[in-house]
Amino acid sequence: MIAERLGQLGIVLPHAAAPAANYVPGVVHAGLLHISGQIPFDENGDLIRGRLGEDMTMKEGAAAARRCGIGLLAQMNAVLGDLDKVRRVVKLGVFVASTPNFTDQPKVANGASDLMVEVFGERGRHARSAVGVAALPLGVAVEIDAIIAVDA
C-alpha cells in the first residue's frame, strides 16, 4: 500500500493546496488525472522562492522540486481518495525559474522524478519535460504539473 510506503519514507502529505485562481486542482478524464501546477512549500508551509543560477543552488532546486512532488501526491490523494488508485505516473512537466546561462533544469527536476519512483516504484517512472523560465508565480523556484493514469 502506498500509505505504508509514505510512512517508510517519512513523508507526511500536507493538505492539498487550494486553487489560487479560476481553475481546479485536478481533472479526471478518460482514465487520466491531470494535476494543475504545484509550487513548492517547505515543511512549515512557507513558499520556496529563488532562481537557479542566481540565488539558489542545484541541491536547493532539487529539494524544491521534491516539495512540488509532495504537493502532487497530496493532490492525487485529494482527488482520488486513495493513492493506491494510481496506475502510472505518465508525465511530469517541470518549470524551473533560472537565469539564461543555467542549463541543468533536468537535474533540478530529478528531485520530483526520484520521489515518484521512491513512492510508486516502476509505476512512478514517467516521461518528462524540464524547462527553464524567467519567472514563476510568487517568485517560486519550481512549478510542476502532472498526468497520472488512474483506476476509474
Side-chain angles (χ1 to χ4, degrees), residues 40 48-66 68 94-111 130-136 139-144:
I48 300 173
R49 293 183 166 101
R51 195 165 161 204
L52 279 291
E54 184 175 278
D55 59 1
M56 186 169 248
T57 68
M58 179 86 65
K59 185 176 179 180
E60 291 169 327
R66 183 178 177 88
C68 289
V94 182
F95 304 90
V96 180
S98 52
T99 60
N101 62 342
F102 183 84
T103 59
D104 284 328
Q105 289 83 2
K107 291 179 182 174
V108 171
N110 284 341
V131 298
V133 296
L136 287 168
V140 297
V142 183
E143 181 174 356
I144 305 177

Side-chain angles (χ1 to χ4, degrees), residues 76-99:
M76 289 177 218
N77 195 49
V79 172
L80 301 172
D82 183 356
L83 288 174
D84 289 315
K85 292 182 180 179
V86 171
R87 291 293 125 232
R88 179 81 191 238
V89 178
V90 177
K91 184 171 185 194
L92 297 182
V94 182
F95 304 90
V96 180
S98 52
T99 60

